[in-house]
Amino acid sequence: ERKFEQSKLFLIPMYAVIGWCVCAWLYCLCLYSGNYKGALFRNKPETAWDEFCFFGALSFFGALAQGNGHEMVHRREAINKFIGSIPFFLCCYSHFGSEHVKGHHRHIATTDDPVSADKGESFFYHTYKSVTGTHVCAWNREVARIKKTGGNIILHNAMTMYFLLHVALWVFVYVAFGGNGIYFQVRYTIAGLL
């Protein structure tokens, strides 16, 4: 198993799943926008049950892509780290790679790790704690790095870059797919964070 993981062939299915995730995301934006006609765009979910099932299935495959992305951010090569960050970027969680490797792995199962759940903690509280806590930890780590190396805490902070990339993503979705695209992206982001 270890030998296969070190082989370049191991990356083929990982790239394929992440590529599929991006294609599915774009297809869904087109589907929800209502701007596209044809057989591929006739099956937009209509009822609440349709929406639940649609986002349930999409979330399942998105989770597969995030699992692959998680594995790829552990790789040494910058291209693999970049490709591994794509599923997290699509749900506005771009800091995952940095926080996971430099934060979670360093503080796993301690009170300093916001993604380690306390005994008896509810799913929804844990999700809130994880999402907000990882942002705060990543920001604080970036501030500490900048204080050591010098630079502006806002302009040289990777978290600022992630924020601007997310703003660009939302602007792109609105310009290309309109209000219905934003409706889809909000739901996709929430599903991706859960």
Side-chain angles (χ1 to χ4, degrees):
E1 182 179 330
R2 186 54 119 182
K3 194 174 186 178
F4 179 66
E5 283 182 18
Q6 294 171 350
S7 167
K8 296 291 184 198
L9 294 174
F10 181 70
L11 297 174
I12 295 170
M14 297 181 110
Y15 283 3
V17 168
I18 292 172
W20 182 90
C21 173
V22 172
C23 291
W25 175 75
L26 285 169
Y27 168 75
C28 291
L29 283 168
C30 292
L31 179 69
Y32 270 82
S33 74
N35 297 337
Y36 300 88
K37 306 297 178 214
L40 283 175
F41 303 105
R42 287 189 191 139
N43 295 320
K44 181 178 172 188
E46 299 294 332
T47 66
W49 177 249
D50 291 345
E51 289 254 335
F52 178 79
C53 292
F54 181 82
F55 276 94
L58 189 62
S59 296
F60 172 77
F61 291 109
L64 287 177
Q66 286 182 350
N68 286 326
H70 163 255
E71 288 302 317
M72 294 184 77
V73 299
H74 286 285
R75 299 283 173 155
R76 295 192 187 280
E77 304 86 6
I79 185 69
N80 290 327
K81 289 182 184 295
F82 171 76
I83 292 172
S85 70
I86 292 171
F88 299 102
F89 167 70
L90 295 179
C91 65
C92 298
Y93 207 65
S94 295
H95 70 288
F96 172 82
S98 170
E99 174 56 25
H100 181 72
V101 174
K102 296 175 185 169
H104 174 66
H105 279 279
R106 186 175 197 169
H107 304 291
I108 193 165
T110 68
T111 55
D112 293 334
D113 181 19
V115 297
S116 293
D118 296 327
K119 186 175 181 179
E121 192 171 82
S122 77
F123 170 78
F124 294 104
Y125 175 74
H126 175 68
T127 301
Y128 168 78
K129 182 183 88 168
S130 296
V131 171
T132 57
T134 57
H135 279 86
V136 170
C137 288
W139 176 269
N140 290 340
R141 193 173 38 264
E142 279 294 298
V143 168
R145 178 189 63 80
I146 292 165
K147 284 182 179 178
K148 283 182 187 174
T149 60
N152 183 290
I153 290 178
I154 302 292
L155 297 177
H156 297 106
N157 193 319
M159 291 298 286
T160 304
M161 179 192 65
Y162 298 145
F163 173 75
L164 293 174
L165 285 171
H166 296 157
V167 168
L169 173 72
W170 287 89
V171 168
F172 164 76
V173 167
Y174 181 73
V175 168
F177 303 102
N180 289 335
I182 293 292
Y183 170 80
F184 169 79
Q185 186 63 35
V186 166
R187 296 183 73 148
Y188 187 83
T189 298
I190 292 169
L193 295 177
L194 294 177

